[in-house]
């Protein structure tokens, strides 16, 4: 299945799946443009903006070794950044910084890597050990 994000004002408002066979051209090669046209016709929205996204893409890497699409899999409420050609999740905390390479949000302080579970505390701008 191929995934496509519907975008309005640079915000993802829907994500739909399309059977891969629908995307194939006369040579059997999958084309994003065919999937986009299929969705425009299906929903009778000729001016809708659709972009292909990949469920297996995180931080610009396809987890199964395939072709990554637009840095990250799109989700409802994500921003589509045309200049970066990337889907960016909503910013989780005011202090977090966008990694320009991965288009993922990162805490200003690295999470401890000691085997314990932590959660971000925006009030103290640091990681807090989770109990339990």
């Amino acid at each position: 299945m191929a995934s496509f994000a519907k975008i309005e004002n640079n915000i993802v408002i829907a994500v739909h799946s399309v059977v891969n066979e629908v995307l194939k051209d006369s040579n059997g090669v999958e084309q994003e443009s065919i999937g986009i046209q299929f969705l425009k016709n299906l929903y009778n929205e000729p001016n809708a903006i659709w972009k292909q996204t990949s469920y297996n893409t995180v931080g610009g890497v396809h987890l199964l070794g395939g072709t990554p699409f637009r840095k990250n899999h799109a989700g409802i409420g994500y921003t589509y950044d045309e200049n970066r050609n990337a889907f960016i999740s909503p910013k989780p905390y005011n202090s977090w910084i966008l990694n320009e390479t991965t288009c993922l949000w990162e805490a200003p302080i690295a999470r401890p890597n000691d085997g314990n579970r932590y959660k971000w505390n925006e009030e103290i701008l640091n990681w807090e050990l989770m109990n339990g």
Side-chain angles (χ1 to χ4, degrees):
M1 292 288 250
S3 296
F4 287 82
K6 185 177 182 183
I7 302 164
E8 285 185 6
N9 299 317
N10 296 324
I11 302 297
V12 176
I13 62 164
V15 180
H16 293 269
S17 296
V18 176
V19 177
N20 292 69
E21 288 299 315
V22 169
L23 308 180
K24 292 185 178 179
D25 63 16
S26 59
N27 295 317
V29 178
E30 291 181 14
Q31 302 289 338
E32 177 182 22
S33 60
I34 295 172
I36 291 169
Q37 193 58 54
F38 171 80
L39 289 164
K40 287 180 175 188
N41 292 343
L42 179 67
Y43 293 107
N44 194 27
E45 297 177 325
N47 297 318
I49 298 171
W50 293 90
K51 298 285 182 183
Q52 191 169 359
T53 184
S54 171
Y55 181 78
N56 293 306
T57 299
V58 177
V61 175
H62 192 282
L63 302 177
L64 302 177
T67 302
F69 280 100
R70 300 185 171 93
K71 300 288 185 181
N72 298 293
H73 183 262
I76 293 173
Y78 280 41
T79 299
Y80 174 67
D81 185 313
E82 192 169 345
N83 292 330
R84 292 181 179 100
N85 192 24
F87 291 109
I88 302 170
S89 68
K91 190 173 185 175
Y93 300 98
N94 285 334
S95 65
W96 285 34
I97 303 155
L98 185 66
N99 178 313
E100 294 290 334
T101 302
T102 64
C103 289
L104 296 171
W105 295 102
E106 297 178 352
I109 298 169
R111 181 186 313 208
N113 188 14
D114 59 8
N116 290 312
R117 292 181 33 200
Y118 291 88
K119 64 179 179 179
W120 181 254
N121 184 325
E122 185 69 5
E123 289 182 23
I124 63 171
L125 298 177
N126 210 336
W127 294 98
E128 196 171 71
L129 185 62
M130 292 177 64
N131 295 327

